[in-house]
Amino acid sequence: MIFAYNKEHVGDVLMIIVADDKGQENQVKRNGNVAQVSVAEDGQVVAWNIFDASTVLGEIEGSGQVDLTKEQLTKINQEMTKAGFSETLVEDNEPKIVIGFVKSCKKHPDSDHLSITQTEVDNGNVLQIVCGAPNIKAGQKVVVAKPGAMMPDGLMIWPGVLRGVESFGMICSAGELRLPDAPAKKGILELPFDAVVGEAFPVGK
């Protein structure tokens, strides 16, 4: 679940992305300050918009992906109930951009530049991630954007398929993370080996 807010460019609207619409046509149902966005074909809910967000939730800090307090999430659920919706949003405090460890790396069978990695992200959880960086290799500590992450440029990370191989996240470069003095040269960010797998990695906004 991704919370995004950008008053300057979008207005006083909190956008809550809960699933990938995969480019399908959407339909919107609005009651009061709440709009439900779903896929037109099957009705799957993919997002919610909360209008007049600062009135509903109080002050919201940030531009782009934002973190909400438990109290603010409670207010969202109250506003959704008030608007006649039965759904409830559940708190998710799991970090989505974390330190990972590349356990294995092999060439993609249908690409001369892609690699297939098995990358540990936390508590022994291993994700298969297809990576196009020329410097990717086994044994590295890296930064992983897991499914459900929003990158500093607004890109949302969802499971996908690259050249017929499933991929569950993205191994990031310094530029993608908007780190200061990020090198222009292509390649993923390599972290010191004492970096702790599973810890959240701070990114620029």
Side-chain angles (χ1 to χ4, degrees):
M1 186 164 54
I2 297 169
F3 299 104
Y5 183 78
N6 191 325
K7 189 172 184 178
E8 181 180 353
H9 293 98
V10 181
D12 192 16
V13 181
L14 178 71
M15 295 169 285
I16 308 168
I17 301 96
V18 296
D20 183 8
D21 67 5
K22 298 178 182 177
Q24 300 176 86
E25 182 181 353
N26 291 337
Q27 59 187 7
V28 179
K29 177 182 179 181
R30 178 171 176 177
N31 295 333
N33 284 326
V34 181
Q36 180 194 70
V37 183
S38 57
V39 175
E41 183 176 347
D42 61 12
Q44 180 193 10
V45 177
V46 293
W48 299 89
N49 291 331
I50 308 297
F51 294 89
D52 295 325
S54 59
T55 301
V56 174
L57 304 176
E59 184 179 358
I60 303 176
E61 295 184 359
S63 177
Q65 186 170 14
V66 294
D67 296 319
L68 299 186
T69 65
K70 189 174 183 178
E71 291 73 21
Q72 287 175 321
L73 185 60
T74 297
K75 289 179 180 179
I76 289 173
N77 283 323
Q78 290 172 344
E79 195 70 18
M80 289 169 60
T81 299
K82 177 182 171 183
F85 294 102
S86 60
E87 291 88 346
T88 299
L89 301 182
V90 179
E91 187 175 16
D92 177 11
N93 292 322
E94 178 183 289
K96 296 297 188 291
I97 299 181
V98 301
I99 296 168
F101 174 67
V102 182
K103 300 187 73 173
S104 68
C105 179
K106 65 180 182 181
K107 289 296 183 183
H108 191 297
D110 192 33
S111 171
D112 59 2
H113 72 282
L114 296 176
S115 299
I116 304 170
T117 75
Q118 302 295 324
T119 301
E120 183 178 353
V121 289
D122 53 61
N123 299 319
N125 183 25
V126 176
L127 299 178
Q128 177 169 285
I129 300 176
V130 178
C131 179
N135 61 328
I136 186 72
K137 60 185 178 183
Q140 291 172 319
K141 294 285 181 71
V142 295
V143 180
V144 176
K146 299 191 292 185
M150 176 183 278
M151 300 299 292
D153 65 357
L155 174 69
M156 290 178 288
I157 305 301
W158 303 109
V161 177
L162 293 173
R163 295 284 187 93
V165 176
E166 291 184 311
S167 182
F168 299 91
M170 182 173 76
I171 299 175
C172 307
S173 70
E176 289 163 336
L177 296 165
R178 288 197 178 171
L179 299 183
D181 302 319
K185 186 178 178 181
K186 277 189 69 175
I188 52 99
L189 175 66
E190 297 185 56
L191 299 178
F193 199 75
D194 60 359
V196 179
V197 173
E199 281 194 356
F201 187 89
V203 297
K205 297 293 184 184

